[in-house]
Amino acid sequence: MGGVPILVVQPSKFDPPGRLGEWLREAGADVDVVLPADQSLPDDVEAYRGVVVLGGEMGAFDDSEHPWLADVRSLLSRAVTAEVPVLAICLGAQLLAAVTGGQVRAARKGPEVGPGLVAKRDVAADDPLLGPVPLTPDVLQFHVDEIAVLPPSAQLLASSPKSENQVFRVGSCAYGLQFHIETTTETVLEWSRLRPELADAARPGSLEPERLDEVHDDLAETWQPVAERFVRFAAAPPEERTPRRFLPLA
């Protein structure tokens, strides 16, 4: 498969597509990266077969400092309405929740930072993207806000003790991931340098380069196949994007 057009929205220059971009391209995606702080978002979201929205240091409603956030929310709303598959990560997931009726706030139990695990819900066993994922997949957290209330139409797919709404699906094809899967060791080290107060919230030693190298190897085992399934999901006709239908890797 080749040439599946995927729009990647990069809210922050400090959170590039990284390995996720590589995984999407290797799976056959034609990736178009747009930084909304510097570039206009496309008017026609249906020109793409899928949309990815990455994370960033800003909050979901920090429009006074980042007025383009309204444009990202609008794009997500249009994608959901048009049933264009969405993969929204960290800030992206919070924006997706906000535009579909959920609530975002400062994390009640404090920042969630560093390597960790999330637990799949039973219903995720039938999900076309999450179904084959291990019961407690490795993730990388770096957030101070959380999705406090899911949108009314959302299905919760994974949770963690500190922040319940870790993975959710709105409708049949819009996914939100509160954690990061796109990072590299260098990216996380840069975040730690820029936000030392957040890095201090991580477990001792968990943000050391050697530990992060190990974590990113573990992340790739789980989340590269998910990225590959997302490309196939985006390329599939809408009638095939249903629960209980896994999208094979070959």
Side-chain angles (χ1 to χ4, degrees):
M1 182 189 304
V4 181
I6 302 288
L7 173 66
V8 175
V9 180
Q10 182 185 331
S12 171
K13 65 181 181 179
F14 300 113
D15 188 14
R19 298 194 310 167
L20 176 58
E22 296 173 5
W23 298 339
L24 294 171
R25 292 184 183 96
E26 290 171 5
D30 183 2
V31 176
D32 182 10
V33 181
V34 176
L35 281 73
D38 303 319
Q39 302 164 278
S40 297
L41 293 171
D43 293 326
D44 183 10
V45 70
E46 293 184 74
Y48 296 90
R49 299 300 295 270
V51 174
V52 175
V53 181
L54 299 172
E57 64 275 12
M58 59 289 298
F61 294 104
D62 286 349
D63 292 35
S64 59
E65 295 180 57
H66 309 284
W68 47 263
L69 282 167
D71 298 328
V72 180
R73 293 195 300 269
S74 174
L75 181 137
L76 281 168
S77 179
R78 287 182 278 123
V80 171
T81 299
E83 296 188 332
V84 175
V86 170
L87 185 62
I89 295 171
C90 200
L91 171 63
Q94 295 165 6
L95 292 166
L96 174 63
V99 300
T100 52
Q103 297 179 22
V104 178
R105 69 182 178 199
R108 182 168 52 88
K109 296 181 181 179
E112 193 172 23
V113 179
L117 302 173
V118 297
K120 281 172 57 180
R121 309 283 288 216
D122 289 345
V123 69
D126 293 329
D127 185 81
L129 291 192
L130 271 290
V133 166
L135 290 176
T136 55
D138 292 280
V139 300
L140 191 287
Q141 306 278 9
F142 216 97
H143 64 100
V144 297
D145 292 341
E146 68 179 358
I147 299 156
V149 178
L150 285 178
S153 63
Q155 178 69 66
L156 181 62
L157 300 176
S159 299
S160 79
K162 197 164 188 178
S163 186
E164 181 180 11
N165 299 317
Q166 289 287 340
V167 183
F168 64 96
R169 186 186 67 238
V170 178
S172 64
C173 59
Y175 290 82
L177 282 59
Q178 177 59 85
F179 46 84
H180 294 274
I181 63 173
E182 77 284 11
T183 55
T184 63
T185 293
E186 292 72 22
T187 299
V188 179
L189 291 174
E190 178 70 357
W191 292 352
S192 300
R193 185 186 69 80
L194 294 170
R195 300 292 300 274
E197 77 284 4
L198 289 188
D200 287 344
R203 292 189 301 274
S206 64
L207 298 182
E208 293 296 324
E210 296 80 5
R211 173 61 180 137
L212 288 173
D213 287 343
E214 296 173 355
V215 167
H216 283 94
D217 287 342
D218 293 337
L219 290 177
E221 288 186 15
T222 294
W223 298 105
Q224 182 170 5
V226 171
E228 293 167 350
R229 285 194 292 276
F230 181 75
V231 175
R232 286 158 176 76
F233 187 72
E239 62 270 16
E240 295 186 12
R241 299 176 192 150
T242 57
R244 301 183 181 276
R245 187 183 184 93
F246 297 144
L247 292 149
L249 298 184

